[in-house]
Amino acid sequence: MKKGVTIKDIARKLNMSVSTVSKALNDHPSISVLTKERVKKLADEWVYIPNEAARHFKQNKSFTIGVIMPDLLDQFYVLAINGVEEVAVKNNYNVVVSQSHEDSERETGLIENMIRNRVDGVIIAVTKKTWNTEKFKRLNTAGIPMVFFSRSISAPEFDYVSTDNEDGALQAMNFLFNEGHRRIAHLMGPPFLRTSQQRFDGYKKALAQKGIPFDTGLVAEVDFTQQQTVDAVKRLMKLKDPPTAFFTFKSYVGLDVIKILREKYPKMAGKMSIIGFGNLPLIQYLEDKPMGSIDENSFQMGVEAAQLIFDRIDQQEADEEPKPKFIKVPCKIVVH
Amino acid sequence: MKKGVTIKDIARKLNMSVSTVSKALNDHPSISVLTKERVKKLADEWVYIPNEAARHFKQNKSFTIGVIMPDLLDQFYVLAINGVEEVAVKNNYNVVVSQSHEDSERETGLIENMIRNRVDGVIIAVTKKTWNTEKFKRLNTAGIPMVFFSRSISAPEFDYVSTDNEDGALQAMNFLFNEGHRRIAHLMGPPFLRTSQQRFDGYKKALAQKGIPFDTGLVAEVDFTQQQTVDAVKRLMKLKDPPTAFFTFKSYVGLDVIKILREKYPKMAGKMSIIGFGNLPLIQYLEDKPMGSIDENSFQMGVEAAQLIFDRIDQQEADEEPKPKFIKVPCKIVVH
DNA sequence: CTGAAAGCGCTTACAG
DNA sequence: CTGAAAGCGCTTACAG
């Protein structure tokens, strides 16, 4: 193991104290210009690279925010991460991204790991199976701010950044109404997620506003696996009065619907109108596109989540208990 | 700021030394069972969470490997990360993923950052604009092992894990030959990437084996932007004897070709056979699929890269200078 | 089996 | 403007 140059090495060479070198490198105002120059020159020559680990340790801050996402193969989360990164870079923070792979146990482990590593804040989109608040309370106890991102369990005591789920649902439904649809199925997400409830609420509200009676038979819960979506579509298509359109929790589910229709109900495939949450980059490559998507502006959501985390970090020093925030980022329908 | 329980707190309460507590928590063999029990019990009660930052700092290891990828919207890289993660978890290591966003300057900054944070190893897929070895030498100087992943510049002194690029190209070409194609265009990647050269070599080798003269006019360099692919396709389609098939550096380029053909040459769209590197999950949703893809087994590549990094980390202690390795992970053609 | 001591590389009051 | 000292939370030879 080679070991690098340290502040001590520089101090010795220059006949200075380590404190002076440290301050010089950090441009501390009390240090003379000449000293700063000498120190920086040698640091340069010797390719001194500060040990951030040591700095963080000493300062009792990791300058790192942890992000836990269910699955990065879902481009929605990648866009969000890009937003988080942008804000983090501006604040000279690092971002550590982990995937729970929709596994709640694994998620617990990741949170534990983040606490052990003393990240300064956590942004998390929970798994589709997460309902317990236990692990989030542990973050609280450890004094680490956390915000739910996009997906949240029913726990209003935590911060939550999301798209305006209800409004997005309204936009989707109204668009479908305008296209003449009246029998619109809703494939909703896991019911213990606030997010699912909010989108479902929008669905019902849209129907009510339009004066269309709510029909439970048109709603199915899915867990985003193809299997469940297959089952749901099959059941719905067997109805006496089957739906003519689908409003799905997310576009990936909509893509599965399209695929299933193409395979099992080729006659219907072209006619069915489909809208879901998530304007995914991959849609551009599809020939058989969904009719539209709710653009959640996930990059912006990432930005807002990161900003909220930084606010919370700042507020820690003020040590007043802040009220939980629910930030809704506007969304808009995009027609393909 | 709340501060957590430390080893010292536990030691004080139990009238022990911090060394004993530390050893007890780490199951050091020299500590009595009784002591271990007492320590662990209190640690549990008090919700002691070890400060990994401190441990890493003390041990002069971050137990972290850094991964730099061009862009996580490309699912190929996400699959690779999953492979890296799997190996890392087994070794009790963390993985820190950063994106260069195909920006070479930014890449330099990320490497710098990883050195500052003293990661134990780096896996990197370079940007499409990277050609300079400078920054990689800095990692060397800092004593941090690095392996090029998938994409590499021409610098055989570094480790490199990649699919068997030449063989993949041969498979693609032979498949197209079997389909009856003789005029096969190649959209190749940036020429200063070893990867591009290797795939191009396979292309030429396949032609030679088949006794088909190599025609420079059928080759175009692209930088993966749609614009360049559009230009290339337009030029190729204007040839007196235009290609009947495309072998592309990667499937995303192939998808762009399909899109362009659909828009500009609808008559040709269905007939053109297209094969590229990368069996992407999103292909399942396409109706208008490429004919096939070279499955690079990116998860496995991630696994191999991580294993190589861990080998290198272990070898550091032995401090003999190891020879650079070029690991080729087998690939196979997948027909859609 | 347990503990005292040194130290990882820095930063930051504090004194001069 | 500079420096001596303490210390962040741990681990690890070493002594007993």
PDB file of all heavy atoms in Angstrom, chain B residues 96-125:
ATOM      1  N   VAL B  96     -20.626   2.717  -4.723  1.00  0.00           N
ATOM      2  CA  VAL B  96     -21.058   4.086  -4.985  1.00  0.00           C
ATOM      3  C   VAL B  96     -21.074   4.303  -6.492  1.00  0.00           C
ATOM      4  O   VAL B  96     -20.050   4.166  -7.153  1.00  0.00           O
ATOM      5  CB  VAL B  96     -20.101   5.097  -4.335  1.00  0.00           C
ATOM      6  CG1 VAL B  96     -20.436   6.491  -4.801  1.00  0.00           C
ATOM      7  CG2 VAL B  96     -20.197   5.010  -2.835  1.00  0.00           C
ATOM      8  N   VAL B  97     -22.242   4.586  -6.999  1.00  0.00           N
ATOM      9  CA  VAL B  97     -22.382   4.739  -8.443  1.00  0.00           C
ATOM     10  C   VAL B  97     -22.476   6.212  -8.819  1.00  0.00           C
ATOM     11  O   VAL B  97     -23.232   6.960  -8.202  1.00  0.00           O
ATOM     12  CB  VAL B  97     -23.655   4.033  -8.944  1.00  0.00           C
ATOM     13  CG1 VAL B  97     -23.792   4.188 -10.441  1.00  0.00           C
ATOM     14  CG2 VAL B  97     -23.628   2.568  -8.558  1.00  0.00           C
ATOM     15  N   SER B  98     -21.704   6.621  -9.795  1.00  0.00           N
ATOM     16  CA  SER B  98     -21.830   7.979 -10.322  1.00  0.00           C
ATOM     17  C   SER B  98     -21.985   7.930 -11.833  1.00  0.00           C
ATOM     18  O   SER B  98     -21.529   6.992 -12.470  1.00  0.00           O
ATOM     19  CB  SER B  98     -20.595   8.801  -9.996  1.00  0.00           C
ATOM     20  OG  SER B  98     -20.422   8.914  -8.613  1.00  0.00           O
ATOM     21  N   GLN B  99     -22.598   8.950 -12.368  1.00  0.00           N
ATOM     22  CA  GLN B  99     -22.760   9.039 -13.809  1.00  0.00           C
ATOM     23  C   GLN B  99     -21.909  10.165 -14.382  1.00  0.00           C
ATOM     24  O   GLN B  99     -21.933  11.274 -13.875  1.00  0.00           O
ATOM     25  CB  GLN B  99     -24.215   9.338 -14.166  1.00  0.00           C
ATOM     26  CG  GLN B  99     -25.208   8.337 -13.643  1.00  0.00           C
ATOM     27  CD  GLN B  99     -26.625   8.706 -14.038  1.00  0.00           C
ATOM     28  OE1 GLN B  99     -26.995   8.637 -15.195  1.00  0.00           O
ATOM     29  NE2 GLN B  99     -27.420   9.109 -13.077  1.00  0.00           N
ATOM     30  N   SER B 100     -21.209   9.850 -15.445  1.00  0.00           N
ATOM     31  CA  SER B 100     -20.423  10.893 -16.107  1.00  0.00           C
ATOM     32  C   SER B 100     -21.290  11.665 -17.106  1.00  0.00           C
ATOM     33  O   SER B 100     -20.893  12.721 -17.576  1.00  0.00           O
ATOM     34  CB  SER B 100     -19.247  10.278 -16.842  1.00  0.00           C
ATOM     35  OG  SER B 100     -19.703   9.353 -17.815  1.00  0.00           O
ATOM     36  N   HIS B 101     -22.434  11.122 -17.433  1.00  0.00           N
ATOM     37  CA  HIS B 101     -23.292  11.722 -18.454  1.00  0.00           C
ATOM     38  C   HIS B 101     -22.516  11.988 -19.738  1.00  0.00           C
ATOM     39  O   HIS B 101     -22.735  13.013 -20.397  1.00  0.00           O
ATOM     40  CB  HIS B 101     -23.957  12.993 -17.917  1.00  0.00           C
ATOM     41  CG  HIS B 101     -24.927  12.734 -16.797  1.00  0.00           C
ATOM     42  ND1 HIS B 101     -26.125  12.081 -16.986  1.00  0.00           N
ATOM     43  CD2 HIS B 101     -24.865  12.988 -15.477  1.00  0.00           C
ATOM     44  CE1 HIS B 101     -26.757  11.974 -15.834  1.00  0.00           C
ATOM     45  NE2 HIS B 101     -26.004  12.507 -14.891  1.00  0.00           N
ATOM     46  N   GLU B 102     -21.626  11.069 -20.059  1.00  0.00           N
ATOM     47  CA  GLU B 102     -20.842  11.143 -21.303  1.00  0.00           C
ATOM     48  C   GLU B 102     -20.002  12.414 -21.385  1.00  0.00           C
ATOM     49  O   GLU B 102     -19.605  12.832 -22.464  1.00  0.00           O
ATOM     50  CB  GLU B 102     -21.752  11.047 -22.548  1.00  0.00           C
ATOM     51  CG  GLU B 102     -22.575   9.780 -22.656  1.00  0.00           C
ATOM     52  CD  GLU B 102     -21.773   8.555 -23.126  1.00  0.00           C
ATOM     53  OE1 GLU B 102     -20.534   8.602 -23.101  1.00  0.00           O
ATOM     54  OE2 GLU B 102     -22.420   7.556 -23.494  1.00  0.00           O
ATOM     55  N   ASP B 103     -19.740  13.005 -20.251  1.00  0.00           N
ATOM     56  CA  ASP B 103     -18.959  14.238 -20.224  1.00  0.00           C
ATOM     57  C   ASP B 103     -17.587  13.927 -19.605  1.00  0.00           C
ATOM     58  O   ASP B 103     -17.484  13.586 -18.439  1.00  0.00           O
ATOM     59  CB  ASP B 103     -19.718  15.271 -19.387  1.00  0.00           C
ATOM     60  CG  ASP B 103     -18.938  16.571 -19.219  1.00  0.00           C
ATOM     61  OD1 ASP B 103     -17.712  16.580 -19.440  1.00  0.00           O
ATOM     62  OD2 ASP B 103     -19.580  17.574 -18.843  1.00  0.00           O
ATOM     63  N   SER B 104     -16.568  14.084 -20.429  1.00  0.00           N
ATOM     64  CA  SER B 104     -15.236  13.652 -19.992  1.00  0.00           C
ATOM     65  C   SER B 104     -14.698  14.493 -18.832  1.00  0.00           C
ATOM     66  O   SER B 104     -14.014  13.977 -17.945  1.00  0.00           O
ATOM     67  CB  SER B 104     -14.265  13.698 -21.173  1.00  0.00           C
ATOM     68  OG  SER B 104     -13.011  13.211 -20.792  1.00  0.00           O
ATOM     69  N   GLU B 105     -15.018  15.768 -18.822  1.00  0.00           N
ATOM     70  CA  GLU B 105     -14.572  16.636 -17.718  1.00  0.00           C
ATOM     71  C   GLU B 105     -15.218  16.181 -16.421  1.00  0.00           C
ATOM     72  O   GLU B 105     -14.585  16.090 -15.370  1.00  0.00           O
ATOM     73  CB  GLU B 105     -15.021  18.097 -17.948  1.00  0.00           C
ATOM     74  CG  GLU B 105     -14.824  18.611 -19.345  1.00  0.00           C
ATOM     75  CD  GLU B 105     -13.382  18.962 -19.587  1.00  0.00           C
ATOM     76  OE1 GLU B 105     -12.869  19.819 -18.864  1.00  0.00           O
ATOM     77  OE2 GLU B 105     -12.759  18.343 -20.478  1.00  0.00           O
ATOM     78  N   ARG B 106     -16.505  15.954 -16.541  1.00  0.00           N
ATOM     79  CA  ARG B 106     -17.233  15.521 -15.357  1.00  0.00           C
ATOM     80  C   ARG B 106     -16.679  14.197 -14.848  1.00  0.00           C
ATOM     81  O   ARG B 106     -16.533  13.995 -13.642  1.00  0.00           O
ATOM     82  CB  ARG B 106     -18.707  15.360 -15.739  1.00  0.00           C
ATOM     83  CG  ARG B 106     -19.600  15.178 -14.557  1.00  0.00           C
ATOM     84  CD  ARG B 106     -21.015  15.573 -14.894  1.00  0.00           C
ATOM     85  NE  ARG B 106     -21.907  15.297 -13.783  1.00  0.00           N
ATOM     86  CZ  ARG B 106     -23.173  15.668 -13.746  1.00  0.00           C
ATOM     87  NH1 ARG B 106     -23.682  16.358 -14.753  1.00  0.00           N
ATOM     88  NH2 ARG B 106     -23.932  15.386 -12.712  1.00  0.00           N
ATOM     89  N   GLU B 107     -16.343  13.351 -15.763  1.00  0.00           N
ATOM     90  CA  GLU B 107     -15.734  12.069 -15.419  1.00  0.00           C
ATOM     91  C   GLU B 107     -14.452  12.286 -14.619  1.00  0.00           C
ATOM     92  O   GLU B 107     -14.204  11.626 -13.603  1.00  0.00           O
ATOM     93  CB  GLU B 107     -15.429  11.306 -16.706  1.00  0.00           C
ATOM     94  CG  GLU B 107     -14.825   9.945 -16.535  1.00  0.00           C
ATOM     95  CD  GLU B 107     -14.596   9.291 -17.894  1.00  0.00           C
ATOM     96  OE1 GLU B 107     -13.796   9.808 -18.712  1.00  0.00           O
ATOM     97  OE2 GLU B 107     -15.230   8.265 -18.148  1.00  0.00           O
ATOM     98  N   THR B 108     -13.649  13.216 -15.077  1.00  0.00           N
ATOM     99  CA  THR B 108     -12.404  13.533 -14.371  1.00  0.00           C
ATOM    100  C   THR B 108     -12.705  13.962 -12.944  1.00  0.00           C
ATOM    101  O   THR B 108     -12.059  13.526 -11.991  1.00  0.00           O
ATOM    102  CB  THR B 108     -11.650  14.662 -15.099  1.00  0.00           C
ATOM    103  OG1 THR B 108     -11.520  14.306 -16.476  1.00  0.00           O
ATOM    104  CG2 THR B 108     -10.284  14.884 -14.497  1.00  0.00           C
ATOM    105  N   GLY B 109     -13.723  14.799 -12.810  1.00  0.00           N
ATOM    106  CA  GLY B 109     -14.119  15.251 -11.482  1.00  0.00           C
ATOM    107  C   GLY B 109     -14.577  14.106 -10.602  1.00  0.00           C
ATOM    108  O   GLY B 109     -14.254  14.051  -9.410  1.00  0.00           O
ATOM    109  N   LEU B 110     -15.312  13.173 -11.183  1.00  0.00           N
ATOM    110  CA  LEU B 110     -15.801  12.040 -10.397  1.00  0.00           C
ATOM    111  C   LEU B 110     -14.642  11.180  -9.909  1.00  0.00           C
ATOM    112  O   LEU B 110     -14.629  10.720  -8.766  1.00  0.00           O
ATOM    113  CB  LEU B 110     -16.753  11.183 -11.245  1.00  0.00           C
ATOM    114  CG  LEU B 110     -18.075  11.849 -11.622  1.00  0.00           C
ATOM    115  CD1 LEU B 110     -18.862  10.961 -12.577  1.00  0.00           C
ATOM    116  CD2 LEU B 110     -18.892  12.149 -10.378  1.00  0.00           C
ATOM    117  N   ILE B 111     -13.670  10.982 -10.780  1.00  0.00           N
ATOM    118  CA  ILE B 111     -12.499  10.198 -10.383  1.00  0.00           C
ATOM    119  C   ILE B 111     -11.773  10.909  -9.241  1.00  0.00           C
ATOM    120  O   ILE B 111     -11.408  10.297  -8.230  1.00  0.00           O
ATOM    121  CB  ILE B 111     -11.560   9.993 -11.584  1.00  0.00           C
ATOM    122  CG1 ILE B 111     -12.217   9.052 -12.582  1.00  0.00           C
ATOM    123  CG2 ILE B 111     -10.212   9.441 -11.128  1.00  0.00           C
ATOM    124  CD1 ILE B 111     -11.430   8.847 -13.852  1.00  0.00           C
ATOM    125  N   GLU B 112     -11.588  12.206  -9.417  1.00  0.00           N
ATOM    126  CA  GLU B 112     -10.949  13.006  -8.380  1.00  0.00           C
ATOM    127  C   GLU B 112     -11.685  12.824  -7.053  1.00  0.00           C
ATOM    128  O   GLU B 112     -11.088  12.582  -6.004  1.00  0.00           O
ATOM    129  CB  GLU B 112     -11.006  14.489  -8.803  1.00  0.00           C
ATOM    130  CG  GLU B 112     -10.050  15.373  -8.076  1.00  0.00           C
ATOM    131  CD  GLU B 112      -8.592  14.995  -8.299  1.00  0.00           C
ATOM    132  OE1 GLU B 112      -8.287  14.365  -9.331  1.00  0.00           O
ATOM    133  OE2 GLU B 112      -7.773  15.305  -7.410  1.00  0.00           O
ATOM    134  N   ASN B 113     -12.979  12.911  -7.133  1.00  0.00           N
ATOM    135  CA  ASN B 113     -13.811  12.767  -5.947  1.00  0.00           C
ATOM    136  C   ASN B 113     -13.630  11.395  -5.296  1.00  0.00           C
ATOM    137  O   ASN B 113     -13.584  11.271  -4.071  1.00  0.00           O
ATOM    138  CB  ASN B 113     -15.275  12.980  -6.337  1.00  0.00           C
ATOM    139  CG  ASN B 113     -16.163  13.083  -5.132  1.00  0.00           C
ATOM    140  OD1 ASN B 113     -16.891  12.159  -4.803  1.00  0.00           O
ATOM    141  ND2 ASN B 113     -16.090  14.209  -4.429  1.00  0.00           N
ATOM    142  N   MET B 114     -13.523  10.395  -6.130  1.00  0.00           N
ATOM    143  CA  MET B 114     -13.358   9.048  -5.570  1.00  0.00           C
ATOM    144  C   MET B 114     -12.003   8.916  -4.886  1.00  0.00           C
ATOM    145  O   MET B 114     -11.884   8.230  -3.869  1.00  0.00           O
ATOM    146  CB  MET B 114     -13.530   8.013  -6.677  1.00  0.00           C
ATOM    147  CG  MET B 114     -14.954   8.047  -7.217  1.00  0.00           C
ATOM    148  SD  MET B 114     -15.492   6.554  -8.013  1.00  0.00           S
ATOM    149  CE  MET B 114     -17.282   6.871  -8.080  1.00  0.00           C
ATOM    150  N   ILE B 115     -10.995   9.541  -5.466  1.00  0.00           N
ATOM    151  CA  ILE B 115      -9.686   9.505  -4.803  1.00  0.00           C
ATOM    152  C   ILE B 115      -9.766  10.234  -3.464  1.00  0.00           C
ATOM    153  O   ILE B 115      -9.299   9.747  -2.441  1.00  0.00           O
ATOM    154  CB  ILE B 115      -8.598  10.149  -5.681  1.00  0.00           C
ATOM    155  CG1 ILE B 115      -8.473   9.422  -7.017  1.00  0.00           C
ATOM    156  CG2 ILE B 115      -7.252  10.124  -4.952  1.00  0.00           C
ATOM    157  CD1 ILE B 115      -7.459  10.018  -7.966  1.00  0.00           C
ATOM    158  N   ARG B 116     -10.380  11.404  -3.470  1.00  0.00           N
ATOM    159  CA  ARG B 116     -10.509  12.176  -2.234  1.00  0.00           C
ATOM    160  C   ARG B 116     -11.242  11.373  -1.167  1.00  0.00           C
ATOM    161  O   ARG B 116     -10.940  11.477   0.011  1.00  0.00           O
ATOM    162  CB  ARG B 116     -11.269  13.479  -2.488  1.00  0.00           C
ATOM    163  CG  ARG B 116     -10.527  14.454  -3.382  1.00  0.00           C
ATOM    164  CD  ARG B 116     -11.417  15.623  -3.742  1.00  0.00           C
ATOM    165  NE  ARG B 116     -11.595  16.514  -2.626  1.00  0.00           N
ATOM    166  CZ  ARG B 116     -11.065  17.717  -2.517  1.00  0.00           C
ATOM    167  NH1 ARG B 116     -10.307  18.188  -3.501  1.00  0.00           N
ATOM    168  NH2 ARG B 116     -11.282  18.454  -1.467  1.00  0.00           N
ATOM    169  N   ASN B 117     -12.213  10.605  -1.614  1.00  0.00           N
ATOM    170  CA  ASN B 117     -12.976   9.817  -0.646  1.00  0.00           C
ATOM    171  C   ASN B 117     -12.357   8.446  -0.399  1.00  0.00           C
ATOM    172  O   ASN B 117     -12.916   7.631   0.322  1.00  0.00           O
ATOM    173  CB  ASN B 117     -14.422   9.681  -1.115  1.00  0.00           C
ATOM    174  CG  ASN B 117     -15.204  10.957  -0.866  1.00  0.00           C
ATOM    175  OD1 ASN B 117     -15.561  11.249   0.259  1.00  0.00           O
ATOM    176  ND2 ASN B 117     -15.417  11.742  -1.918  1.00  0.00           N
ATOM    177  N   ARG B 118     -11.216   8.215  -1.023  1.00  0.00           N
ATOM    178  CA  ARG B 118     -10.444   7.002  -0.755  1.00  0.00           C
ATOM    179  C   ARG B 118     -11.230   5.715  -0.968  1.00  0.00           C
ATOM    180  O   ARG B 118     -11.218   4.819  -0.107  1.00  0.00           O
ATOM    181  CB  ARG B 118      -9.892   7.031   0.681  1.00  0.00           C
ATOM    182  CG  ARG B 118      -9.029   8.244   1.036  1.00  0.00           C
ATOM    183  CD  ARG B 118      -7.739   8.263   0.288  1.00  0.00           C
ATOM    184  NE  ARG B 118      -6.771   9.223   0.829  1.00  0.00           N
ATOM    185  CZ  ARG B 118      -6.633  10.479   0.388  1.00  0.00           C
ATOM    186  NH1 ARG B 118      -7.394  10.943  -0.585  1.00  0.00           N
ATOM    187  NH2 ARG B 118      -5.701  11.267   0.925  1.00  0.00           N
ATOM    188  N   VAL B 119     -11.915   5.645  -2.089  1.00  0.00           N
ATOM    189  CA  VAL B 119     -12.551   4.363  -2.394  1.00  0.00           C
ATOM    190  C   VAL B 119     -11.455   3.321  -2.574  1.00  0.00           C
ATOM    191  O   VAL B 119     -10.299   3.649  -2.859  1.00  0.00           O
ATOM    192  CB  VAL B 119     -13.421   4.429  -3.675  1.00  0.00           C
ATOM    193  CG1 VAL B 119     -14.553   5.421  -3.512  1.00  0.00           C
ATOM    194  CG2 VAL B 119     -12.580   4.751  -4.896  1.00  0.00           C
ATOM    195  N   ASP B 120     -11.828   2.052  -2.415  1.00  0.00           N
ATOM    196  CA  ASP B 120     -10.811   1.003  -2.480  1.00  0.00           C
ATOM    197  C   ASP B 120     -10.586   0.483  -3.892  1.00  0.00           C
ATOM    198  O   ASP B 120      -9.629  -0.255  -4.142  1.00  0.00           O
ATOM    199  CB  ASP B 120     -11.214  -0.168  -1.567  1.00  0.00           C
ATOM    200  CG  ASP B 120     -11.241   0.264  -0.111  1.00  0.00           C
ATOM    201  OD1 ASP B 120     -10.508   1.200   0.235  1.00  0.00           O
ATOM    202  OD2 ASP B 120     -12.009  -0.321   0.676  1.00  0.00           O
ATOM    203  N   GLY B 121     -11.477   0.844  -4.786  1.00  0.00           N
ATOM    204  CA  GLY B 121     -11.328   0.392  -6.167  1.00  0.00           C
ATOM    205  C   GLY B 121     -12.333   1.104  -7.042  1.00  0.00           C
ATOM    206  O   GLY B 121     -13.341   1.606  -6.547  1.00  0.00           O
ATOM    207  N   VAL B 122     -12.057   1.147  -8.333  1.00  0.00           N
ATOM    208  CA  VAL B 122     -12.950   1.850  -9.260  1.00  0.00           C
ATOM    209  C   VAL B 122     -13.224   0.974 -10.479  1.00  0.00           C
ATOM    210  O   VAL B 122     -12.319   0.384 -11.065  1.00  0.00           O
ATOM    211  CB  VAL B 122     -12.330   3.189  -9.708  1.00  0.00           C
ATOM    212  CG1 VAL B 122     -13.129   3.803 -10.852  1.00  0.00           C
ATOM    213  CG2 VAL B 122     -12.247   4.175  -8.552  1.00  0.00           C
ATOM    214  N   ILE B 123     -14.497   0.919 -10.832  1.00  0.00           N
ATOM    215  CA  ILE B 123     -14.905   0.273 -12.078  1.00  0.00           C
ATOM    216  C   ILE B 123     -15.470   1.363 -12.964  1.00  0.00           C
ATOM    217  O   ILE B 123     -16.356   2.105 -12.549  1.00  0.00           O
ATOM    218  CB  ILE B 123     -15.985  -0.796 -11.812  1.00  0.00           C
ATOM    219  CG1 ILE B 123     -15.407  -1.928 -10.967  1.00  0.00           C
ATOM    220  CG2 ILE B 123     -16.541  -1.335 -13.117  1.00  0.00           C
ATOM    221  CD1 ILE B 123     -16.436  -2.961 -10.522  1.00  0.00           C
ATOM    222  N   ILE B 124     -14.959   1.464 -14.171  1.00  0.00           N
ATOM    223  CA  ILE B 124     -15.395   2.585 -14.992  1.00  0.00           C
ATOM    224  C   ILE B 124     -15.649   2.218 -16.446  1.00  0.00           C
ATOM    225  O   ILE B 124     -14.850   1.544 -17.089  1.00  0.00           O
ATOM    226  CB  ILE B 124     -14.368   3.742 -14.924  1.00  0.00           C
ATOM    227  CG1 ILE B 124     -14.844   4.934 -15.746  1.00  0.00           C
ATOM    228  CG2 ILE B 124     -12.993   3.297 -15.377  1.00  0.00           C
ATOM    229  CD1 ILE B 124     -14.053   6.197 -15.524  1.00  0.00           C
ATOM    230  N   ALA B 125     -16.797   2.639 -16.912  1.00  0.00           N
ATOM    231  CA  ALA B 125     -17.079   2.604 -18.347  1.00  0.00           C
ATOM    232  C   ALA B 125     -16.889   4.043 -18.823  1.00  0.00           C
ATOM    233  O   ALA B 125     -17.652   4.928 -18.432  1.00  0.00           O
ATOM    234  CB  ALA B 125     -18.501   2.121 -18.613  1.00  0.00           C
TER     235      ALA B 125
END
